[in-house]
Amino acid sequence: MLNKSNTKNLTAKQYRTITAFVAAIIGFSVSLANLTGIYISMLVITIGMAVLLYAKSRVKDVLEDERDKTVGGEAARLAIGAYSTISIVVMFVLYPFRLQNPFFETIVLTLSFSACALMGIYSLAFYLRNKGVKPKTFFWALIAVSLIVFLTGVRLLSGEDSWICKDGEWTEHGKPSSPKPVIKCTNGK
Amino acid sequence: MENKIKELRTKQNITQEELARLSKVRRETIVFLEQGKYNPSLKLAHDVAKVLKTTIDKLFIFGD
């Protein structure tokens, strides 16, 4: 049975080694998602995060101090500014040519909306920190929001209550809210 | 901001690693402090001064 007295503490160097190893495994599993399926990658990511959280709790050295937080804050502001600037430049370059390649419009819209979202989240985080909300509270709220978005997405996009194409006929799966599709059903393809 | 951290640390035979551990910061932060490349918070300045058995105004040289 594991308890604090008989589990070995980790040094910062050991923790960084474990982090690199876990990141490599996660990266490898995500790269194979097309072959193994996305759920295996999600499982690997979840297990990896649990391993890192446990490893971090066993570290006796200081991993992050006030200088890291100060420099990190300045670096985050610079990164947000750089990302926003690059997004604007790419938008001005690609948007005029969107009719030649529709993918350009997708890139521009993705970059601009993501830059807006990033600045919005930064503003919210700054406001909450200014009010004294602790980073851990923000972290748990983020986990909760991510879980809600994920579950909502899975529920809406999983085709749980929808029409499925089977043997050339549209058949109900559950209780679809939309009417039967008008396009021809071609054996599920 | 100049300081006497390195001078007092070496006089008391304390390594950077040990000073960092006693001040609850990373060794890199002590390195930056000694080189004058980082201005510590009041709490960190107090903690470092306490470990080196001195006061903040004797440890840090405030320019006019």
Side-chain angles (χ1 to χ4, degrees):
Chain A
M1 184 79 168
L2 287 176
N3 59 54
K4 283 195 175 181
S5 62
N6 62 17
T7 50
K8 190 179 172 186
N9 283 328
L10 298 171
T11 63
K13 192 175 179 182
Q14 287 170 330
Y15 174 71
R16 282 190 209 107
T17 305
I18 291 171
T19 303
F21 185 66
V22 169
I25 291 175
I26 288 174
F28 185 67
S29 76
V30 169
S31 66
L32 292 178
N34 280 340
L35 298 170
T36 59
I38 194 161
Y39 295 111
I40 292 180
S41 300
M42 287 164 60
L43 182 66
V44 169
I45 289 169
T46 306
I47 293 171
M49 285 173 67
V51 166
L52 288 179
L53 277 172
Y54 177 73
K56 195 174 182 183
S57 71
R58 305 307 312 162
V59 174
K60 61 176 173 58
D61 296 343
V62 173
L63 286 174
E64 185 186 55
D65 58 20
E66 63 167 54
R67 191 180 62 85
D68 293 310
K69 289 174 187 170
T70 305
V71 172
E74 290 168 7
R77 277 194 293 274
L78 286 172
I80 289 168
Y83 184 79
S84 305
T85 305
I86 290 168
S87 298
I88 291 169
V89 169
V90 170
M91 182 180 74
F92 279 124
V93 168
L94 293 184
Y95 198 68
F97 301 104
R98 65 189 183 283
L99 295 176
Q100 295 174 18
N101 188 340
F103 193 53
F104 286 171
E105 189 170 4
T106 306
I107 295 172
V108 162
L109 289 174
T110 304
L111 281 176
S112 45
F113 278 114
S114 64
C116 287
L118 186 57
M119 285 190 279
I121 293 169
Y122 172 78
S123 300
L124 176 63
F126 190 94
Y127 172 77
L128 291 173
R129 281 297 291 144
N130 219 20
K131 288 284 181 185
V133 174
K134 293 178 184 174
K136 265 192 179 173
T137 310
F138 191 81
F139 171 74
W140 286 116
L142 181 65
I143 296 286
V145 167
S146 300
L147 204 59
I148 291 168
V149 168
F150 174 74
L151 291 172
T152 306
V154 166
R155 178 64 184 87
L156 291 175
L157 300 173
S158 65
E160 187 61 32
D161 288 319
S162 64
W163 294 92
I164 54 171
C165 182
K166 195 176 177 183
D167 299 327
E169 292 273 339
W170 287 109
T171 50
E172 290 182 355
H173 185 270
K175 288 184 181 176
S177 55
S178 57
K180 190 162 91 173
V182 295
I183 57 170
K184 197 177 173 185
C185 167
T186 53
N187 287 335
K189 288 186 183 175
Chain B
M1 183 168 54
E2 289 180 19
N3 58 72
K4 296 180 182 177
I5 296 174
K6 187 174 181 178
E7 183 189 323
L8 290 174
R9 180 179 61 76
T10 48
K11 261 188 191 173
Q12 296 177 41
N13 289 320
I14 301 173
T15 61
Q16 286 178 334
E17 190 87 36
E18 209 172 328
L19 179 58
R21 185 179 59 80
L22 292 169
S23 307
K24 293 187 178 61
V25 292
R26 298 201 297 135
R27 190 186 69 84
E28 289 80 4
T29 299
I30 299 297
V31 171
F32 274 77
L33 277 174
E34 289 183 354
Q35 292 172 352
K37 290 180 179 177
Y38 176 65
N39 291 332
S41 66
L42 184 59
K43 186 183 180 308
L44 179 57
H46 172 263
D47 289 345
V48 172
K50 192 175 173 185
V51 170
L52 296 175
K53 299 182 180 66
T54 185
T55 57
I56 291 176
D57 54 352
K58 285 180 185 171
L59 188 58
F60 293 92
I61 303 162
F62 295 93
D64 288 324

